[in-house]
């Protein structure tokens, strides 16, 4: 098989491409790549040296990509795990994004960037302006700064997932506050995202502006699903973070579409439980994850 | 004069140190370092090559630091302007932060990071875990994720400015929405920041958890000042972004303290107007800026 690049493989719309990749594998799932050196399969004391640690993370992630590429359509890199190694970590992240793309994976960079006007332009350039085969398809962004903090990220062929409802306990303090009109703050943000996203809808019916909606409160998710019919939901909180199948179902529409569930630790550290061939453990965990969610939403 | 490092120069509390630096120069101001290659003093066509552009930015910022170090207590690096050059840009940013610290400047990294739990830990490590003389004193963070997205950044001797009210037009859409209890969303965030910051107050009476409060709506700033008496306000929006002296005054308390105003383009590109020695223009603009704000709040 020849290498597939964007220029050869339509659709070029970020949402259409992601939906197509999900349906091809009947797997609305994403593996989160949040590596920490302490949990790698084979780390010695030398892992405490930052340069050696960064190298160990690089090798581990290359192994992960090989182990998961045939089972899932998408990976999500947690930028912080690479940023912590400074410019060396960023160089490794750039390389690994290219490696993921070579394996025909859709790539989300989870960096939760958010700034205004010209600074948002710079962040968009930072993420998307490198050679097309080395940059992610999607970026997570923070929507607290409003529309002018979001528009710069909506570039042709790329997409952004805006934070709407996060899965952490502290998220409630702000996001569930009630406005005078009865909506929660998260619902207010959802309305803004739906309105901005309307101009960026592809043939699939989904927008290149998606939404991050955590899996921990399914009643909130159901409301948000109604408020954002054209958004693909990126759903963290499954697996190690405590969410189960029932918690993520409300993020999907009635036809089992419109969301992609992400799990990290339960997949990438699967080898900790059985201690056999670590890549085999990861592959099996990724398959199990894809099967759990794919079956639950009726794609399998 | 010997080089000053943290270990030799108390106070070690981030807010105490910043307040002391401001009072030493009677200058509650910060120069924002947001360089774009197109506006540098001497850029040829070769500036279009990313590697050459990054090098040109490095030289320019070194010149800026020399030009401004004696007039202002603090500089703020806009991370996006460096991230856009990938790992090379990050290496330059790391070097320039060290250079700023060698010039005895307080350093804010304006990266608006925000994530939950373990990922926030990684971001805090990314920013603060390098050698003490190479990492910033303060980081800007996004507070939409709540308390567990804020606590990881509050490390001993370091500080964080949480976004409360931004100066962009789009910020209004969300931040000025009214809650059922009559407060705006920004005021609700302010209450959260004041409460979390209470545990991190130094001898100066100010907390290591500060607040970003834009200069564009002075009536909002006055309310926020009352809600956050222990927060140092980092105030963008002055100068090129449209705010004037009257707009920033409500961010200060009655004794002319508790805020630091930041300006970037009006200082770092001051040479565009007179086209003489560029560093001299920057020095003069920085002095003028310090004098305008220092006089207006009664420190001079």
């Amino acid at each position: 098989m020849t290498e597939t690049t964007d220029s050869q493989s339509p659709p070029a719309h970020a949402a259409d491409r992601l939906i197509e990749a999900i349906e091809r594998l009947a797997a609305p799932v994403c593996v989160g790549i949040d590596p920490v050196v302490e949990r790698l399969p084979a780390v010695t004391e030398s892992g405490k040296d930052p340069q050696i640690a960064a190298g160990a993370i690089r090798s581990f992630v290359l192994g992960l990509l090989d182990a998961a590429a045939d089972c899932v359509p998408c990976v999500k890199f947690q930028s912080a795990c690479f940023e912590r190694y400074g410019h060396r970590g960023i160089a490794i992240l750039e390389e690994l994004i290219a490696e993921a793309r070579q394996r025909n994976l859709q790539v989300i960079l989870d960096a939760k960037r958010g700034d205004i006007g010209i600074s948002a332009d710079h962040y968009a350039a930072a993420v998307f302006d490198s050679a097309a085969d080395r940059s992610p398809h999607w970026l997570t962004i923070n929507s607290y700064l409003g529309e002018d903090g979001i528009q710069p990220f909506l570039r042709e062929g790329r997409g952004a997932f805006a934070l709407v409802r996060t899965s952490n306990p502290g998220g409630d303090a702000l996001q569930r506050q009630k406005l005078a009109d009865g909506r929660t703050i998260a619902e207010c943000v959802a309305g803004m995202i739906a309105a901005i996203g309307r101009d960026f809808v592809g043939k699939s019916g989904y927008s290149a502006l998606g939404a991050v909606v955590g899996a921990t409160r399914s009643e909130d998710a159901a409301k948000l699903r109604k408020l954002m019919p054209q958004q693909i939901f990126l759903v963290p909180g499954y697996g190690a973070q405590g969410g189960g199948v029932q918690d993520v179902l409300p993020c999907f529409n009635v036809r089992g579409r419109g969301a992609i569930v992400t799990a990290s630790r339960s997949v990438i550290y699967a080898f900790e439980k059985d201690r056999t061939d670590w890549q085999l453990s990861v592959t099996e965990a990724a398959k199990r994850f894809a099967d759990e969610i794919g079956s639950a939403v009726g794609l399998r």
Side-chain angles (χ1 to χ4, degrees), chain A:
Chain A
M1 199 181 108
T2 54
E3 192 187 312
T4 313
T5 67
D6 274 10
S7 58
Q8 297 160 336
S9 64
H13 187 280
D16 294 350
R17 204 172 40 213
L18 182 56
I19 295 287
E20 184 191 72
I22 288 170
E23 308 219 327
R24 181 163 34 86
L25 294 179
V29 297
C30 167
V31 172
I33 299 182
D34 312 12
V36 289
V37 73
E38 296 76 13
R39 293 183 74 174
L40 301 194
V43 168
T44 62
E45 279 300 297
S46 59
K48 285 175 183 164
D49 176 273
Q51 200 161 348
I52 295 176
I57 283 176
R58 176 185 169 279
S59 305
F60 174 63
V61 176
L62 284 172
L64 277 184
L65 294 175
D66 285 334
D70 293 334
C71 329
V72 299
C74 182
V75 290
K76 174 173 82 64
F77 288 92
Q78 169 54 259
S79 190
C81 294
F82 299 90
E83 288 183 41
R84 70 176 296 169
Y85 296 106
H87 67 277
R88 282 189 207 97
I90 299 296
I92 288 170
L93 175 62
E94 290 165 354
E95 180 197 353
L96 292 172
I97 288 173
E99 292 283 344
R101 293 192 56 142
Q102 278 182 18
R103 287 164 181 75
N104 208 20
L105 288 158
Q106 297 294 299
V107 177
I108 301 168
L109 179 62
D110 190 1
K112 299 191 175 65
R113 294 297 188 259
D115 211 311
I116 64 176
I118 196 167
S119 300
D121 287 335
H122 291 309
Y123 279 122
V127 174
F128 293 136
D129 269 4
S130 49
D133 58 352
R134 298 184 64 86
S135 62
H137 302 94
W138 295 79
L139 173 71
T140 58
I141 61 173
N142 191 305
S143 32
Y144 188 68
L145 295 110
E147 180 162 0
D148 45 345
I150 294 170
Q151 290 280 7
F153 294 103
L154 297 170
R155 299 197 173 188
E156 201 180 336
R158 310 303 178 99
F161 288 103
L163 290 186
V164 174
R165 185 73 180 90
T166 59
S167 52
N168 60 316
D172 283 8
L174 190 63
Q175 298 160 24
R176 296 196 97 213
Q177 292 274 343
K178 289 268 186 185
L179 298 182
D181 61 14
R183 294 178 301 166
T184 63
I185 290 181
E187 288 160 15
C188 170
V189 173
M192 179 175 80
I193 298 302
I196 299 170
R198 217 162 278 147
D199 291 338
F200 300 91
V201 174
K203 289 176 189 156
S204 61
Y206 288 101
S207 173
L209 180 58
V212 177
V213 177
T216 50
R217 281 188 187 267
S218 53
E219 70 277 22
D220 292 3
K223 269 196 191 170
L224 296 171
R225 182 72 273 172
K226 277 186 197 156
L227 289 167
M228 297 185 285
Q230 295 177 314
Q231 270 56 55
I232 299 176
F233 283 18
L234 176 64
V235 186
Y238 185 78
Q241 280 187 55
V245 172
Q246 293 306 315
D247 299 305
V248 303
L249 286 182
C251 293
F252 290 83
N253 68 22
V254 286
R255 294 177 296 115
R257 290 187 171 75
I260 182 164
V261 179
T262 175
S264 174
R265 286 165 275 172
S266 56
V267 175
I268 72 173
Y269 302 129
F271 57 86
E272 289 179 348
K273 280 191 186 152
D274 24 71
R275 293 274 169 206
T276 55
D277 178 304
W278 78 267
Q279 282 182 287
L280 193 61
S281 297
V282 169
T283 300
E284 281 169 4
K287 279 187 181 165
R288 215 159 41 231
F289 174 39
D291 200 46
E292 275 165 17
I293 308 295
S295 306
V297 303
L299 288 184
R300 295 184 176 201

